[in-house]
Amino acid sequence: MTASLLLRNVRPYAGKAVDLLIENGKIAQLGTNLSAPAGVAIEDGKGDIVIPGLVEAHTHLDKSLLGLPWYTNEVGPKLLDKIDNERENKKRLDINPERQSARQSILSSLKGTTHIRSHVDVDTEHGLWGVEGVMQTRDAYRDIVDIELVAFPQSGLLRRPGTLELMDQAMQAGCEIVGGLDPCTIDRDPKGHLDAVFGLCQRYGKPLDIHLHEPGEVGAFSLDLIIERTRVLGMTGKVTVSHAFCLGTPDPALIDPLIEELAELDIAIMTTAPASRPAPPVKKLLQAGVRICSGSDGIRDTWSPYGNADMLERAMFVGLRNNFRRDDEVRLALDVCTIEGAKVMEIEDYGLEVGCVADLVLLPAESIAEAVATRPPQRRVIKRGKIVARDGVSIRTAP
């Protein structure tokens, strides 16, 4: 669906006020006192900042408990405790992937997100239930958000025989990206795990986005193996490492050589800017030439009660975690949740230039730093030239 619209008096990235003409869903002109072609609607921007649509580059649409009764979390502290608990209770808690992914997608959209990358569970207990449900949402809500799916072996790949075959089926079904998870600490077979996931990438010609929670030297070892396979298999620019807690290790001798290789092979990093784990250093990575994006991860699920799908708030978390205080640094945090995320997701025609797709957010604030710090709820969200959310109300109704 495309649309035409004239936005009057908007300020790209808090700069000088201009008019922005959208035709057939794309930015056609930027200038002052633009004339509206016949039949084109006019929207008063009221001097709001306009930015490209926010990019949710890492979440789990199939897991959310949004709209369901409050879940009392009494799960053990280990990663496998959380994984096993979720898998065993999905049906009991009525976490229907189609309904729950639709609820989260609408929430993301009304807060300004126009693109989502979702990791979706594939396991031997539920098969492709999650993939099929999120694909239904992907197709049904294209008018407000674009969604791409990562086939994700959350419960482990080799430790649960039959999962690799299901991953293969998920890729055949239309998942855009191959996922993976902690080769050493979950499957305890780093060579076997990486052979399997990179093998799927080679078979289907698809990118890889692998969760790497492993800390310190163990994580650095797994990351080195990922780098090695990326080089040997010619997958430069086609690999993302999510979380990468090991890059937050305060040991330059361990981390700096890895960062150099990440930049050389164009391996991207996703960080949620976590408060309770070591985090990849955003500015250092960007200065080295590494693409870096961010995401909400799980949003009110059996793992955690937190999350609200607001990528403007996530930009604030990126700023806080990296001690960004200057206005130009806060802009960098927003970039991670917009243009840098778009680079990682390889979104075509993204931005605020003539010819770009008109996926936009209007924010009532004086500066980018103010917008990130105060996160105004009065937002107008435009998807392919059509206003799809206004002041927290979406054009779509959650199921």
Side-chain angles (χ1 to χ4, degrees):
M1 181 183 297
T2 60
S4 297
L5 180 69
L6 177 61
L7 297 176
R8 290 208 184 278
N9 188 23
V10 293
R11 296 181 298 124
Y13 286 113
K16 293 182 179 180
V18 298
D19 297 340
L20 189 154
L21 177 63
I22 300 165
E23 293 184 322
N24 298 317
K26 291 193 173 186
I27 299 173
Q29 294 183 55
L30 286 164
T32 56
N33 300 315
L34 296 182
S35 298
V40 171
I42 299 175
E43 177 81 9
D44 183 0
K46 302 179 182 179
D48 283 1
I49 296 171
V50 61
I51 62 172
L54 294 160
V55 177
E56 168 67 86
H58 185 106
T59 192
H60 297 267
L61 289 176
D62 58 316
K63 297 174 180 286
S64 176
L65 292 164
L66 288 169
L68 297 177
W70 186 258
Y71 171 74
T72 300
N73 191 330
E74 299 175 319
V75 182
K78 298 178 182 177
L79 184 63
L80 278 174
D81 293 336
K82 297 174 176 63
I83 290 171
D84 292 343
N85 173 72
E86 179 183 57
R87 186 185 64 252
E88 293 164 4
N89 286 287
K90 278 182 178 178
K91 291 289 179 70
R92 182 183 69 82
L93 294 171
D94 192 27
I95 308 176
N96 179 285
E98 181 180 355
R99 182 189 63 234
Q100 296 310 116
S101 61
R103 288 173 175 174
Q104 184 177 325
S105 296
I106 291 172
L107 181 62
S108 292
S109 169
L110 65 84
K111 290 182 179 292
T113 288
T114 56
H115 293 81
I116 295 173
R117 173 179 286 185
S118 176
H119 296 253
V120 184
D121 287 7
V122 174
D123 64 63
T124 53
E125 191 158 332
H126 301 288
L128 301 187
W129 187 42
V131 168
E132 292 163 353
V134 177
M135 283 184 173
Q136 290 288 329
T137 294
R138 178 189 64 185
D139 296 340
Y141 292 86
R142 291 185 190 275
D143 58 333
I144 62 170
V145 65
D146 289 315
I147 299 170
E148 64 180 24
L149 282 75
V150 184
F152 179 46
Q154 174 73 90
S155 293
L157 188 61
L158 305 180
R159 68 188 289 266
R160 294 180 66 88
T163 304
L164 180 57
E165 291 75 14
L166 288 168
M167 288 281 290
D168 189 279
Q169 292 174 30
M171 298 310 298
Q172 290 183 43
C175 286
E176 291 90 351
I177 301 156
V178 177
L181 173 70
D182 295 339
C184 289
T185 56
I186 296 296
D187 274 338
R188 299 188 177 186
D189 182 356
K191 180 183 182 301
H193 184 95
L194 293 176
D195 284 349
V197 295
F198 274 95
L200 286 172
C201 292
Q202 294 288 295
R203 187 175 309 148
Y204 291 99
K206 298 294 185 181
L208 174 70
D209 189 333
I210 182 169
H211 282 57
L212 188 61
H213 305 99
E214 297 165 355
E217 292 185 354
V218 173
F221 172 71
S222 289
L223 184 55
D224 190 51
L225 294 181
I226 292 167
I227 289 168
E228 177 185 59
R229 279 164 174 73
T230 301
R231 188 189 307 277
V232 170
L233 295 173
M235 286 186 61
T236 295
K238 296 299 180 183
V239 174
T240 300
V241 180
S242 287
H243 301 299
F245 296 150
C246 62
L247 291 178
T249 303
D251 181 359
L254 180 67
I255 298 310
D256 287 357
L258 293 172
I259 292 177
E260 289 180 12
E261 291 189 286
L262 293 174
E264 177 192 348
L265 295 171
D266 193 15
I267 296 173
I269 297 296
M270 191 294 304
T271 180
T272 63
S276 59
R277 295 288 187 273
V282 166
K283 186 180 288 188
K284 185 173 183 177
L285 286 165
L286 289 172
Q287 289 175 341
V290 178
R291 289 178 297 152
I292 185 163
C293 60
S294 190
S296 302
D297 205 3
I299 293 176
R300 197 162 89 71
D301 54 19
T302 62
W303 292 56
S304 165
Y306 304 115
N308 61 6
D310 187 353
M311 288 303 295
L312 198 60
E313 182 175 88
R314 187 60 49 179
M316 181 190 72
F317 292 155
V318 171
L320 285 170
R321 190 65 178 81
N322 290 273
N323 196 27
F324 290 169
R325 297 171 183 265
R326 292 166 47 102
D327 280 26
D328 57 344
E329 292 176 325
V330 178
R331 164 67 189 270
L332 197 62
L334 179 67
D335 285 349
V336 169
C337 299
T338 52
I339 59 175
E340 297 298 329
K343 291 176 186 176
V344 174
M345 288 181 60
E346 298 184 301
I347 300 169
E348 295 182 357
D349 300 328
Y350 176 94
L352 289 183
E353 304 296 327
V354 170
C356 292
V357 175
D359 292 341
L360 311 170
V361 187
L362 274 62
L363 302 166
E366 281 298 311
S367 67
I368 293 295
E370 182 188 2
V372 172
T374 64
R375 304 172 311 285
Q378 300 82 11
R379 307 176 197 181
R380 284 172 280 180
V381 185
I382 297 171
K383 182 65 180 173
R384 285 187 285 273
K386 180 180 179 181
I387 297 176
V388 297
R390 187 188 297 272
D391 298 339
V393 179
S394 174
I395 65 169
R396 302 296 301 270
T397 302

